[in-house]
Amino acid sequence: MRLANASVLAMLPASGLAACGTAYEGSQIDGTLIHSVVIDMGTDAANITATQYDPYFKQGSALKGVKAVIEDSQFYINLWAIPGTESAFKKVSQCLSGGYLVNQVPWLYYNSTAATWWGGYEAETEASSYEAAALSVATGLIAGLEVRFWDTNGDGYTDLIDADYLEGVTIDTITHNANSTYSIYRGNIDVANKTPYEGTVFDADLFSGAGPAIPASNFDTTIQSGDVALFWYGNQGWAMKRAEDVVGIFIDGEDHTSYDVGGVTYGDAMRFSRDNLPISNRPGEFTDAQKFFKLTNDTAAGLNVSLWLVPVTNTTNRGGPVGMTSDGHSRDFLAKAVAQAQAQLNNVTVSTNGANVPSTQEWVNQGNYTQLHEAIARANLALSLANSSSFLLDYQTYVLYLTLYGTSDDIGAESADFTFTGFEKAVQLGSA
Ligand SMILES: *[C@@H]1O[C@H](CO)[C@@H](O)[C@H](O)[C@H]1NC(C)=O
Ligand SMILES: *[C@@H]1O[C@H](CO)[C@@H](O)[C@H](O)[C@H]1NC(C)=O
Ligand SMILES: *[C@@H]1O[C@H](CO)[C@@H](O)[C@H](O)[C@H]1NC(C)=O
Ligand SMILES: *[C@@H]1O[C@H](CO)[C@@H](O)[C@H](O)[C@H]1NC(C)=O
Ligand SMILES: *[C@@H]1O[C@H](CO)[C@@H](O)[C@H](O)[C@H]1NC(C)=O
Ligand SMILES: *[C@@H]1O[C@H](CO)[C@@H](O)[C@H](O)[C@H]1NC(C)=O
Ligand SMILES: *[C@@H]1O[C@H](CO)[C@@H](O)[C@H](O)[C@H]1NC(C)=O
Ligand SMILES: *[C@@H]1O[C@H](CO)[C@@H](O)[C@H](O)[C@H]1NC(C)=O
Ligand SMILES: *[C@@H]1O[C@H](CO)[C@@H](O)[C@H](O)[C@H]1NC(C)=O
């Protein structure tokens, strides 16, 4: 079960602080870092109970050790402790009404009508007991994010675990409010450029309007317009930091798999939340558009892209890819895409069945002709305005690719309900 963000926010006390689960006192853990894991990346396992982590627990088993840490109320996500026991959970009214929240979404929930426990990623999984539900929250953390094992009593083993649950967001506008908080606006692509043909550009709406006010002490002031950042709801409220950017030539990539920037290949992180990034700046979809227009591996053109990663503590580890942007080169990429699309449009005759078109000449029906014509016009308008953001320009490149190629092979476009036949698939040679 997932409650919509808005209804969860409405249940929270006016202070904005969720009250199921105890907040860690202090901004960082007081203890010795024993080990850090980046889930499902590099040599790390898909969850922290995997046997490779057994040596870090005095029980000799990561599974037993993680259960014990949870039971001691020492398992934190974004510095909020999961209630240790069923009775601790049931004592707190906010736990019973809204559940234990991660970024204000329930991950551990009791349905008192059905007397059922739900846990795991966004409380999607029914569990047989409180203990099983709480454990499934710990094992349901998703790829690309860091989990740290701490020793706080000096015995050399893990007795406290703190996990991150960070989500990505594009930064269009940063407002420093009069009361010193910061507000982020992720960009107006969905509002300004929606057409009857298009699907869901964003999958969440947290930063589509004024957004949550982020206390100045939780806001990374190195963040600039055009960046990709990470946000979370920590023990001091909403927080945001800049993602780490890798800048270079985009050599090659494969949707949902890996991305090679500047000769280094970065693995993807499944289920990592990019809901506050436009679809066109998610790594897989950005890759599909770049490869379609043959913009990758063009060392001669020298147009760099940025791959944004989750920063991690251990420099031998690598965090998940959050997004890809073309920054200052978004205009150049879009201009190349428009030129290719325009050449294909100029090459066809409009016809209903091709009977009047010579067999050496391509034709297309009016609907597909108009769709491409309009996509080119929107792209040209975005190019003509000095204030078009790089995100908007990247989005126009992506929609041109979908319009030409169709949506059937693009996993993200399909699930976002974009439905383009693809101009290239509709084009045929005449029969006259
Ligand atoms: C950092 O990563 C290296 C290589 O995977 C590993 O040997 C080391 O234990 C890690 N250090 C911490 C503190 O996690
Ligand atoms: C955790 O990972 C281990 C090793 O990959 C696997 O055997 C186990 O089934 C996983 N547990 C869950 C709950 O996903
Ligand atoms: C709780 O369970 C009841 C009975 O199965 C169901 O009708 C209801 O929708 C559930 N409530 C939530 C919030 O999932
Ligand atoms: C600070 O200002 C912002 C923007 O006007 C507002 O949304 C927020 O509620 C204010 N916060 C406090 C603590 O007053
Ligand atoms: C592209 O990125 C590389 C690697 O960061 C850098 O050396 C080079 O100066 C960049 N080129 C341009 C045109 O920005
Ligand atoms: C990139 O281009 C170079 C030559 O410029 C070529 O050797 C290499 O195989 C290409 N890589 C890919 C992935 O296409
Ligand atoms: C234009 O149409 C011809 C067939 O008439 C085809 O061979 C050629 O590839 C097309 N060019 C473009 C740019 O679509
Ligand atoms: C494009 O043509 C196909 C048939 O090839 C048709 O099914 C589709 O509806 C057309 N698209 C538009 C936007 O008219
Ligand atoms: C960009 O500039 C145009 C024309 O000057 C203006 O109409 C539009 O509101 C501006 N858009 C933004 C997002 O500032």
Side-chain angles (χ1 to χ4, degrees), residues 245-249 261-262 301-305 329:
D245 58 332
V246 175
V247 180
I249 299 293
V261 174
L303 302 176
N304 283 341
V305 302
H329 298 133

Side-chain angles (χ1 to χ4, degrees), residues 31-46:
T32 304
L33 180 65
I34 301 234
H35 191 67
S36 63
V37 172
V38 184
I39 297 174
D40 216 11
M41 302 293 288
T43 57
D44 275 313

Side-chain angles (χ1 to χ4, degrees), residues 41-158:
M41 302 293 288
T43 57
D44 275 313
N47 69 70
I48 53 166
T49 62
T51 53
Q52 75 192 76
Y53 306 120
D54 288 352
Y56 305 110
F57 295 88
K58 64 175 175 288
Q59 294 83 353
S61 146
L63 179 60
K64 286 184 186 155
V66 169
K67 284 181 181 174
V69 169
I70 294 172
E71 200 179 324
D72 288 345
S73 302
Q74 295 300 303
F75 195 106
Y76 293 83
I77 302 176
N78 295 341
L79 298 181
W80 287 96
I82 299 174
T85 59
E86 176 173 348
S87 64
F89 184 95
K90 285 188 169 170
K91 253 181 231 153
V92 180
S93 64
Q94 288 89 344
C95 290
L96 285 173
S97 58
Y100 169 78
L101 306 180
V102 175
N103 287 359
Q104 307 295 32
V105 173
W107 278 50
L108 177 52
Y109 181 79
Y110 183 59
N111 182 328
S112 52
T113 312
T116 48
W117 289 103
W118 295 80
Y121 174 82
E122 294 190 347
E124 283 173 353
T125 314
E126 190 174 347
S128 56
S129 64
Y130 179 77
E131 289 71 26
L135 180 64
S136 71
V137 171
T139 56
L141 293 163
I142 51 87
L145 291 165
E146 189 167 88
V147 181
R148 292 165 292 267
F149 297 167
W150 298 89
D151 171 18
T152 67
N153 63 10
D155 71 356
Y157 290 105
T158 307

Side-chain angles (χ1 to χ4, degrees), residues 211-402:
I214 302 170
S217 54
N218 295 351
F219 187 78
D220 171 0
T221 52
T222 67
I223 296 172
Q224 294 183 6
S225 176
D227 286 353
V228 171
L230 294 153
F231 70 91
W232 69 99
Y233 192 83
N235 61 345
Q236 313 289 327
W238 289 108
M240 191 175 280
K241 68 177 171 190
R242 191 173 183 269
E244 179 188 336
D245 58 332
V246 175
V247 180
I249 299 293
F250 190 12
I251 307 292
D252 199 9
E254 195 184 336
D255 187 0
H256 280 67
T257 308
S258 63
Y259 312 98
D260 176 348
V261 174
V264 180
T265 299
Y266 301 84
D268 206 346
M270 290 306 128
R271 299 195 83 175
F272 179 87
S273 174
R274 299 158 178 132
D275 291 356
N276 283 283
L277 260 59
I279 185 168
S280 37
N281 289 116
R282 300 174 195 169
E285 288 73 27
F286 184 90
T287 298
D288 287 344
Q290 286 257 320
K291 287 181 75 173
F292 174 79
F293 289 115
K294 300 192 165 51
L295 301 171
T296 51
N297 203 24
D298 189 353
T299 311
L303 302 176
N304 283 341
V305 302
S306 294
L307 171 66
W308 299 84
L309 303 173
V310 173
V312 292
T313 310
N314 192 338
T315 51
T316 61
N317 288 341
R318 198 173 275 157
V322 185
M324 291 186 80
T325 59
S326 52
D327 314 322
H329 298 133
S330 53
R331 272 175 198 282
D332 303 298
F333 286 128
L334 180 56
K336 284 170 182 264
V338 165
Q340 291 181 41
Q342 188 68 55
Q344 288 181 252
L345 190 71
N346 292 348
N347 203 37
V348 301
T349 303
V350 174
S351 174
T352 47
N353 57 16
N356 56 338
V357 179
S359 60
T360 52
Q361 169 66 47
E362 291 180 342
W363 68 273
V364 76
N365 59 42
Q366 185 67 56
N368 283 272
Y369 185 92
T370 302
Q371 192 175 54
L372 182 58
H373 177 78
E374 289 179 353
I376 292 171
R378 286 197 305 276
N380 278 326
L381 176 62
L383 283 171
S384 74
L385 295 174
N387 61 3
S388 294
S389 70
S390 68
F391 308 127
L392 175 61
L393 297 165
D394 286 345
Y395 177 68
Q396 299 297 350
T397 301
Y398 180 68
V399 173
L400 276 180
Y401 139 69
L402 293 181

